[in-house]
PDB file of all heavy atoms in Angstrom:
ATOM      1  N   ARG A 181     -12.957  19.552   3.220  1.00  0.00           N
ATOM      2  CA  ARG A 181     -14.137  20.303   2.742  1.00  0.00           C
ATOM      3  C   ARG A 181     -13.948  21.796   2.982  1.00  0.00           C
ATOM      4  O   ARG A 181     -14.385  22.623   2.169  1.00  0.00           O
ATOM      5  CB  ARG A 181     -15.366  19.812   3.478  1.00  0.00           C
ATOM      6  CG  ARG A 181     -16.684  20.217   2.841  1.00  0.00           C
ATOM      7  CD  ARG A 181     -17.828  19.714   3.681  1.00  0.00           C
ATOM      8  NE  ARG A 181     -19.098  19.837   2.997  1.00  0.00           N
ATOM      9  CZ  ARG A 181     -19.885  20.923   3.050  1.00  0.00           C
ATOM     10  NH1 ARG A 181     -19.518  21.957   3.752  1.00  0.00           N
ATOM     11  NH2 ARG A 181     -21.032  20.963   2.402  1.00  0.00           N
ATOM     12  N   GLU A 182     -13.286  22.125   4.108  1.00  0.00           N
ATOM     13  CA  GLU A 182     -13.099  23.543   4.475  1.00  0.00           C
ATOM     14  C   GLU A 182     -12.237  24.247   3.435  1.00  0.00           C
ATOM     15  O   GLU A 182     -12.482  25.421   3.101  1.00  0.00           O
ATOM     16  CB  GLU A 182     -12.429  23.669   5.850  1.00  0.00           C
ATOM     17  CG  GLU A 182     -13.312  23.232   7.003  1.00  0.00           C
ATOM     18  CD  GLU A 182     -13.656  21.766   6.960  1.00  0.00           C
ATOM     19  OE1 GLU A 182     -12.737  20.937   6.781  1.00  0.00           O
ATOM     20  OE2 GLU A 182     -14.847  21.440   7.077  1.00  0.00           O
ATOM     21  N   ASP A 186     -13.506  27.467   1.407  1.00  0.00           N
ATOM     22  CA  ASP A 186     -12.765  28.739   1.392  1.00  0.00           C
ATOM     23  C   ASP A 186     -12.453  29.170  -0.035  1.00  0.00           C
ATOM     24  O   ASP A 186     -12.570  30.362  -0.372  1.00  0.00           O
ATOM     25  CB  ASP A 186     -11.458  28.600   2.195  1.00  0.00           C
ATOM     26  CG  ASP A 186     -11.702  28.529   3.677  1.00  0.00           C
ATOM     27  OD1 ASP A 186     -12.803  28.936   4.120  1.00  0.00           O
ATOM     28  OD2 ASP A 186     -10.818  28.049   4.418  1.00  0.00           O
ATOM     29  N   CYS A 189     -15.595  30.535  -1.555  1.00  0.00           N
ATOM     30  CA  CYS A 189     -15.907  31.873  -1.016  1.00  0.00           C
ATOM     31  C   CYS A 189     -15.047  32.943  -1.684  1.00  0.00           C
ATOM     32  O   CYS A 189     -15.547  34.010  -2.065  1.00  0.00           O
ATOM     33  CB  CYS A 189     -15.664  31.908   0.489  1.00  0.00           C
ATOM     34  SG  CYS A 189     -16.892  30.981   1.397  1.00  0.00           S
ATOM     35  N   GLU A 192     -16.265  33.525  -5.211  1.00  0.00           N
ATOM     36  CA  GLU A 192     -17.556  34.219  -5.216  1.00  0.00           C
ATOM     37  C   GLU A 192     -17.340  35.727  -5.008  1.00  0.00           C
ATOM     38  O   GLU A 192     -17.975  36.553  -5.654  1.00  0.00           O
ATOM     39  CB  GLU A 192     -18.457  33.688  -4.090  1.00  0.00           C
ATOM     40  CG  GLU A 192     -19.033  32.311  -4.346  1.00  0.00           C
ATOM     41  CD  GLU A 192     -20.170  32.304  -5.338  1.00  0.00           C
ATOM     42  OE1 GLU A 192     -20.552  33.380  -5.832  1.00  0.00           O
ATOM     43  OE2 GLU A 192     -20.663  31.218  -5.646  1.00  0.00           O
ATOM     44  N   LYS A 193     -16.427  36.025  -4.074  1.00  0.00           N
ATOM     45  CA  LYS A 193     -16.149  37.453  -3.789  1.00  0.00           C
ATOM     46  C   LYS A 193     -15.592  38.136  -5.028  1.00  0.00           C
ATOM     47  O   LYS A 193     -16.019  39.232  -5.393  1.00  0.00           O
ATOM     48  CB  LYS A 193     -15.107  37.540  -2.671  1.00  0.00           C
ATOM     49  CG  LYS A 193     -15.639  38.120  -1.380  1.00  0.00           C
ATOM     50  CD  LYS A 193     -14.533  38.421  -0.420  1.00  0.00           C
ATOM     51  CE  LYS A 193     -14.875  37.798   0.905  1.00  0.00           C
ATOM     52  NZ  LYS A 193     -13.841  37.581   1.821  1.00  0.00           N
ATOM     53  N   LYS A 260     -16.960  19.788  -4.041  1.00  0.00           N
ATOM     54  CA  LYS A 260     -17.548  19.805  -2.686  1.00  0.00           C
ATOM     55  C   LYS A 260     -18.625  18.725  -2.572  1.00  0.00           C
ATOM     56  O   LYS A 260     -18.716  18.011  -1.575  1.00  0.00           O
ATOM     57  CB  LYS A 260     -18.138  21.183  -2.408  1.00  0.00           C
ATOM     58  CG  LYS A 260     -18.734  21.346  -1.015  1.00  0.00           C
ATOM     59  CD  LYS A 260     -19.075  22.779  -0.709  1.00  0.00           C
ATOM     60  CE  LYS A 260     -20.338  23.239  -1.334  1.00  0.00           C
ATOM     61  NZ  LYS A 260     -21.555  22.938  -0.650  1.00  0.00           N
TER      62      LYS A 260
ATOM     63  N   GLU B  31     -13.604  25.509  16.275  1.00  0.00           N
ATOM     64  CA  GLU B  31     -13.566  26.005  14.895  1.00  0.00           C
ATOM     65  C   GLU B  31     -14.950  26.508  14.471  1.00  0.00           C
ATOM     66  O   GLU B  31     -15.072  27.574  13.868  1.00  0.00           O
ATOM     67  CB  GLU B  31     -13.115  24.864  13.978  1.00  0.00           C
ATOM     68  CG  GLU B  31     -12.862  25.270  12.541  1.00  0.00           C
ATOM     69  CD  GLU B  31     -12.703  24.056  11.641  1.00  0.00           C
ATOM     70  OE1 GLU B  31     -12.112  23.045  12.086  1.00  0.00           O
ATOM     71  OE2 GLU B  31     -13.205  24.102  10.521  1.00  0.00           O
ATOM     72  N   ARG B  78     -20.377  21.588  11.175  1.00  0.00           N
ATOM     73  CA  ARG B  78     -19.301  22.306  10.472  1.00  0.00           C
ATOM     74  C   ARG B  78     -19.623  22.424   8.982  1.00  0.00           C
ATOM     75  O   ARG B  78     -19.399  23.464   8.366  1.00  0.00           O
ATOM     76  CB  ARG B  78     -17.991  21.562  10.660  1.00  0.00           C
ATOM     77  CG  ARG B  78     -16.780  22.273  10.074  1.00  0.00           C
ATOM     78  CD  ARG B  78     -15.496  21.562  10.345  1.00  0.00           C
ATOM     79  NE  ARG B  78     -15.477  20.245   9.758  1.00  0.00           N
ATOM     80  CZ  ARG B  78     -14.465  19.398   9.855  1.00  0.00           C
ATOM     81  NH1 ARG B  78     -13.390  19.734  10.526  1.00  0.00           N
ATOM     82  NH2 ARG B  78     -14.515  18.221   9.298  1.00  0.00           N
ATOM     83  N   ASN B  79     -20.161  21.362   8.387  1.00  0.00           N
ATOM     84  CA  ASN B  79     -20.503  21.392   6.955  1.00  0.00           C
ATOM     85  C   ASN B  79     -21.589  22.429   6.674  1.00  0.00           C
ATOM     86  O   ASN B  79     -21.517  23.173   5.689  1.00  0.00           O
ATOM     87  CB  ASN B  79     -20.982  20.021   6.486  1.00  0.00           C
ATOM     88  CG  ASN B  79     -19.858  19.015   6.403  1.00  0.00           C
ATOM     89  OD1 ASN B  79     -18.694  19.366   6.571  1.00  0.00           O
ATOM     90  ND2 ASN B  79     -20.197  17.767   6.193  1.00  0.00           N
ATOM     91  N   GLY B  82     -20.179  25.825   6.794  1.00  0.00           N
ATOM     92  CA  GLY B  82     -19.410  26.063   5.564  1.00  0.00           C
ATOM     93  C   GLY B  82     -20.323  26.497   4.420  1.00  0.00           C
ATOM     94  O   GLY B  82     -20.032  27.458   3.694  1.00  0.00           O
ATOM     95  N   ASP B  83     -21.455  25.805   4.257  1.00  0.00           N
ATOM     96  CA  ASP B  83     -22.405  26.156   3.185  1.00  0.00           C
ATOM     97  C   ASP B  83     -22.989  27.547   3.416  1.00  0.00           C
ATOM     98  O   ASP B  83     -23.197  28.316   2.471  1.00  0.00           O
ATOM     99  CB  ASP B  83     -23.539  25.128   3.124  1.00  0.00           C
ATOM    100  CG  ASP B  83     -23.068  23.778   2.608  1.00  0.00           C
ATOM    101  OD1 ASP B  83     -21.996  23.736   1.974  1.00  0.00           O
ATOM    102  OD2 ASP B  83     -23.756  22.766   2.844  1.00  0.00           O
ATOM    103  N   LYS B  85     -21.533  29.977   4.885  1.00  0.00           N
ATOM    104  CA  LYS B  85     -20.452  30.940   4.562  1.00  0.00           C
ATOM    105  C   LYS B  85     -20.464  31.241   3.064  1.00  0.00           C
ATOM    106  O   LYS B  85     -20.343  32.409   2.647  1.00  0.00           O
ATOM    107  CB  LYS B  85     -19.123  30.315   4.959  1.00  0.00           C
ATOM    108  CG  LYS B  85     -17.952  31.273   5.009  1.00  0.00           C
ATOM    109  CD  LYS B  85     -16.757  30.540   5.580  1.00  0.00           C
ATOM    110  CE  LYS B  85     -15.484  31.263   5.292  1.00  0.00           C
ATOM    111  NZ  LYS B  85     -14.294  30.475   5.655  1.00  0.00           N
ATOM    112  N   ASN B  89     -21.471  34.911   1.319  1.00  0.00           N
ATOM    113  CA  ASN B  89     -20.432  35.582   0.538  1.00  0.00           C
ATOM    114  C   ASN B  89     -20.971  36.125  -0.773  1.00  0.00           C
ATOM    115  O   ASN B  89     -20.431  37.061  -1.343  1.00  0.00           O
ATOM    116  CB  ASN B  89     -19.312  34.586   0.204  1.00  0.00           C
ATOM    117  CG  ASN B  89     -18.055  34.889   0.976  1.00  0.00           C
ATOM    118  OD1 ASN B  89     -17.535  35.996   0.907  1.00  0.00           O
ATOM    119  ND2 ASN B  89     -17.598  33.938   1.737  1.00  0.00           N
ATOM    120  N   LYS B  90     -22.046  35.492  -1.261  1.00  0.00           N
ATOM    121  CA  LYS B  90     -22.600  35.931  -2.546  1.00  0.00           C
ATOM    122  C   LYS B  90     -23.387  37.211  -2.331  1.00  0.00           C
ATOM    123  O   LYS B  90     -23.784  37.552  -1.218  1.00  0.00           O
ATOM    124  CB  LYS B  90     -23.568  34.873  -3.085  1.00  0.00           C
ATOM    125  CG  LYS B  90     -22.904  33.597  -3.508  1.00  0.00           C
ATOM    126  CD  LYS B  90     -23.932  32.681  -4.146  1.00  0.00           C
ATOM    127  CE  LYS B  90     -23.329  31.330  -4.355  1.00  0.00           C
ATOM    128  NZ  LYS B  90     -24.289  30.389  -4.928  1.00  0.00           N
TER     129      LYS B  90
END
Side-chain angles (χ1 to χ4, degrees):
Chain A
R181 196 182 191 271
E182 291 64 49
D186 288 341
C189 288
E192 286 284 359
K193 247 191 231 160
K260 182 170 78 83
Chain B
E31 187 192 323
R78 185 176 62 181
N79 288 353
D83 290 341
K85 194 173 163 189
N89 251 304
K90 291 185 190 178

